[in-house]
């Protein structure tokens, strides 16, 4: 018989404004232009990114909290937002050094950056809105 | 060979305005202040909560519906919204009596409240936005 | 030992404005009125639909992309939006012919329409907002 | 010397889902197609309209209210929403009979419909969102 | 000949979560219940308020700014948000003492609170969203 | 006796993603850092800008339109969006050459750019959202 164990999580949304350029230095300018189109503009362009981070667990009976949402917010500001807000993602951000900062690459690196700092198994999902229409998500496989 | 069975669901969003206070009466005032910060304000504070409820199933061939979204809305109003809208969650709400009404506790209690009134296995997810930045989710494990 | 394989996906959101009528021609007018209520209005009514399509995979190391979000957008416009935007879903849309176009039926047909045109296993989720309060979702079972 | 009299107002937002067709019966089909493009589709299309109505005045000292926002909501439902929600604006709506129901025509007719039922000078603005991108507004000249 | 002088302004949006109760102590309980309905609940209820403040002027040629939007944000936090966020508007807020804290009363008091601290004539509008559907606005008369 | 002439307008919303840097080359690096803070980051940062343009007038009796909203959209794309979307506002945009591209400067330049191409007196307002919290508006004086 299948039993359904309820799964509980909290999600915190934070924002940052950044610029980037999609460009692969190993390819020719023509290939870059063909692959990345207007996202390859040499001077870059930018977005108001929205980041949603979801952590799972059971509420502590003494606090009613899986994890303090205020602390999760502070953690995300200190670990992620301070690194990327009002920055150029290609030039200014250590954890994106050498990457092509597409939404899926950024979300994957943010996962790597924060997962190791959270208790094992806590991190369930990292979601990044580049615009309201373009979204990338990394999810823990279950 | 793995077969992928498509899974279909509908989600209804409802809203309520309520106040609450995060406070554990078994702890000292100092501990409450330290743990809950400004959420421990004795006179409480409030939110425009958004509740999203997802139920799964197959559409009835005669109606094209998993469940009538209008009926799901009515069910949620009668079962949940009428209990919490324009209320103080600590003082006025039977199904939250004795809890610390964090987003994760509220979402968990709403799950318990509505799941027993829905056909078995129908309820897939209950999601509660305390603000657009603070969200709690309870999902059926699969 | 359980291993967690990270799962990565991108989501593209597109919009269309359409009208529809919920009506089952095999039922009497009275039954239709009883079942579908104001959605059964003979002249129909309409919505600004929002469609979100999620495809999974690993980023191509040369581009940092699972799939070009601009190409995914173009694909969705050519395959779905052009068929339904500024149309009457019951009368004008080939892939909904003979259906009762509820949100769950539309989302299911859009899944069928696009899944066969994407590489196998790529499509993870199709989500349709009929309004911000009424949503239907089809997900690949995992 | 110029004196600045503060001006106070309240705004209520309501929603309705409707279909319409932009078509002028006095013009040829070719002219209609040229002028209205895909909005001329014979079977129509639809929108989730958002209507915002603003009324000005001074708060009643006994209630702190310019006008009860709940009563304003009820008034708008009874006067406007019940007439247009889940309707075809060309075929089903008395106060739009014989018009080409563009956003600017609808907003103008809604102004006429509600202004006569409000105390003189109270109505300051009626705003209609056809989509989040297409908006029409009628304002009282001051 | 009429000359049109362009008018330029900037708007900053801030948020706060608060509870309140609509109640006039000079009226009987019956009258309060009749006038304020569920907003008269003795234990109060709450909202996620959104406040938008607009100041006009000409950009300083050296900075391109009418006023630094970051400084305007800081000013609004120190002057308004710190007073009302996570508070009970009736019990905890000095500048609302003795009022019935409807949206129109709150917006009017916030105007009074901030206008005197801004250069004369700068403040053009204060707008308060109690919910996305209930809004109050105070505008400088021109 | 005061007569109130109704005023009618339509508004079109368009979007663009761009990067910029707030920097005055006539000032020292220290002064730039002090005045513009993190907006002075040498490599720039970026935003998803939202632009709303409002034009007034009376509906043409033959079309029900003040101006075709689709044509207004096309006009804004050709005149504004193509110039700024996926661009660096300081380096790539002719109509912002030599400016400090704050929201108020950009909105003012967009006004100048489009007003001369519209019939006299038509343009009523240009509004620019740098983020959902930072907004600049230029309005025709009345």
């Amino acid at each position: 018989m299948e039993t359904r164990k309820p799964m509980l999580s909290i999600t915190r949304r934070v924002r940052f404004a950044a610029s980037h350029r999609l460009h692969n230095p190993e390819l020719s300018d023509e290939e870059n232009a063909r692959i990345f189109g207007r996202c390859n503009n040499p001077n870059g362009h930018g977005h108001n990114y929205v980041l949603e981070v979801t952590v799972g667990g059971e509420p502590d009976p003494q606090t009613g909290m899986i994890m303090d949402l205020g602390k999760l917010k502070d953690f995300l500001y200190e670990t992620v937002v301070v690194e990327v807000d009002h920055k150029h993602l290609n030039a200014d951000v250590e954890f994106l050094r050498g990457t092509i900062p597409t939404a899926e690459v950024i979300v994957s690196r943010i996962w790597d950056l924060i997962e190791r700092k959270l208790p094992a198994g806590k991190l369930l999902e990292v979601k990044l809105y580049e615009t309201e229409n373009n979204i990338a998500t990394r999810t823990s496989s279950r």
Side-chain angles (χ1 to χ4, degrees), chain A:
Chain A
M1 202 203 87
E2 183 197 6
T3 50
R4 288 177 171 261
K5 194 172 71 68
M7 206 178 64
L8 205 58
S9 64
I10 51 169
T11 301
R12 174 71 202 188
R13 180 179 273 225
V14 295
R15 288 161 180 78
F16 59 92
S19 55
H20 71 156
R21 183 196 185 193
L22 300 189
H23 183 81
N24 183 342
E26 296 176 5
L27 302 178
S28 70
D29 286 359
E30 289 70 28
E31 281 173 304
N32 272 296
R34 187 182 52 76
I35 293 170
F36 298 112
R38 25 174 228 166
C39 299
N40 187 239
N41 177 34
N43 296 308
H45 65 286
H47 299 291
N48 300 322
Y49 289 92
V50 178
L51 178 70
E52 284 182 3
V53 173
T54 300
V55 299
E58 286 306 308
D60 179 329
Q62 214 178 38
T63 63
M65 296 175 182
I66 290 175
M67 183 180 171
D68 185 326
L69 272 161
K71 288 214 171 60
L72 179 54
K73 172 191 165 186
D74 292 344
F75 167 70
L76 293 175
Y77 269 86
E78 288 157 21
T79 316
V80 183
V81 177
V82 80
E83 298 294 321
V84 289
D85 190 30
H86 283 71
K87 296 286 173 62
H88 191 297
L89 300 180
N90 305 57
D92 298 328
V93 179
E94 193 55 48
F95 74 79
L96 294 170
R97 190 79 62 203
T99 68
I100 305 168
T102 59
E104 48 268 56
V105 165
I106 302 170
V107 88
S108 206
R109 291 290 173 117
I110 290 175
W111 174 288
D112 291 339
L113 185 66
I114 65 179
E115 202 226 2
R116 73 181 78 145
K117 302 186 175 181
L118 291 166
K122 276 275 188 192
L123 188 59
L124 297 184
E125 190 173 279
V126 180
K127 193 169 202 159
L128 183 73
Y129 296 77
E130 194 180 76
T131 68
E132 61 178 346
N133 296 326
N134 286 342
I135 308 162
T137 310
R138 184 162 159 186
T139 312
S140 69
S141 66
R142 275 165 284 173

